[in-house]
């Protein structure tokens, strides 16, 4: 990050923002189960809360940095609210039905190596004129994926496949991967 700042790839304030919680007493995320009472049968989803984790500012930065990637994939919808906004006022012709597709357990199923290969290609296309920035974003995504640690029963667990469900950049990363 310091080298990227020195080379003018990112401003000093971005470097400071990303690194604001990088110290010796940095905290990992925490783990909990979220009961899904609206499902039949009732189930639960594991949630890795990274809101207070030291990597959260990096994840937030990647949310903003990935906006051009998401804008280049207009067919990917990030939420039901976004879907409703897009279809508001749409008239479905007789004989047609509106359908959506969702992927069950997408976050935990994405292989990091495959993700990085696909994202590397995508980032280099999006930022063809800013190769150094694309390389930095790819490197920061790699760091983020390697350091998704959560605390559960006083043990630190590393996520080695997929994205933590509480990762703020998780939706953007998953949607960019699908695109």
């Amino acid at each position: 990050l310091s080298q990227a700042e020195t080379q003018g790839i990112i401003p000093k304030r971005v470097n400071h923002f990303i690194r604001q919680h990088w110290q010796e007493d940095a905290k990992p995320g925490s783990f909990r189960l979220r009961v899904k009472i609206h499902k039949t049968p009732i189930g639960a989803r594991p949630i890795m809360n990274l809101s207070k984790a030291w990597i959260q500012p990096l994840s937030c930065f990647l949310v903003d940095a990935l906006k051009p990637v998401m804008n280049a994939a207009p067919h990917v919808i990030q939420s039901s609210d976004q879907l409703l906004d897009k279809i508001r006022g749409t008239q479905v012709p007789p004989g047609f039905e509106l359908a959506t597709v969702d992927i069950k357990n997408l976050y935990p199923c994405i292989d990091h190596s495959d993700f990085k290969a696909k994202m590397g290609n995508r980032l280099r296309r999006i930022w063809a004129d800013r190769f150094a920035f694309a390389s930095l974003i790819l490197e920061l995504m790699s760091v983020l994926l390697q350091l998704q640690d959560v605390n559960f029963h006083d043990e630190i667990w590393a996520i080695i496949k997929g994205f933590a469900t509480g990762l703020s950049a998780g939706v953007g990363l998953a949607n960019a991967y699908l695109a």
Side-chain angles (χ1 to χ4, degrees):
L1 286 169
S2 295
Q3 183 179 2
E5 178 189 329
T6 302
Q7 294 174 350
I9 299 168
I10 59 170
K12 181 177 184 174
R13 63 181 168 70
V14 170
N15 182 5
H16 177 72
F17 174 78
I18 292 171
R19 296 170 55 164
Q20 66 184 303
H21 297 303
W22 294 12
Q23 66 259 358
E24 292 200 25
D25 62 340
K27 306 253 185 280
S30 58
F31 180 82
R32 65 183 170 86
L33 288 177
R34 179 178 181 190
V35 178
K36 300 188 89 180
I37 58 174
H38 62 285
K39 298 281 186 173
T40 304
I42 292 177
R45 175 190 303 180
I47 301 291
M48 280 69 81
N49 182 351
L50 298 171
S51 61
K52 293 188 177 19
W54 68 276
I55 61 170
Q56 184 64 4
L58 170 57
S59 185
C60 290
F61 167 73
L62 288 173
V63 168
D64 285 338
L66 289 171
K67 284 181 182 173
V69 176
M70 294 311 302
N71 291 340
H75 55 282
V76 176
I77 307 249
Q78 297 183 40
S79 69
S80 55
D81 288 338
Q82 186 183 15
L83 173 65
L84 293 173
D85 284 343
K86 282 191 176 266
I87 65 170
R88 187 169 284 119
T90 300
Q91 297 293 321
V92 179
F96 285 82
E97 292 183 23
L98 184 63
T100 62
V101 176
D102 195 6
I103 297 175
K104 186 175 183 176
N105 293 328
L106 172 64
Y107 281 26
C109 296
I110 297 175
D111 178 75
H112 291 180
S113 297
D114 189 55
F115 171 79
K116 288 187 271 188
K118 285 184 172 52
M119 284 301 291
N121 292 334
R122 187 174 231 10
L123 293 173
R124 285 187 272 285
R125 277 194 315 272
I126 300 275
W127 288 296
D129 59 336
R130 295 179 65 199
F131 181 80
F133 184 72
S135 296
L136 175 67
I137 296 301
L138 186 59
E139 184 64 30
L140 292 175
M141 284 191 304
S142 295
V143 167
L144 183 70
L145 294 177
Q146 291 173 24
L147 300 174
Q148 299 176 89
D149 299 337
V150 294
N151 185 346
F152 182 65
H153 289 297
D154 295 325
E155 286 188 53
I156 305 297
W157 296 78
I159 298 168
I160 57 172
K161 184 177 179 185
F163 307 141
T165 50
L167 191 63
S168 58
V171 170
L173 295 175
N175 286 333
Y177 180 72
L178 286 177

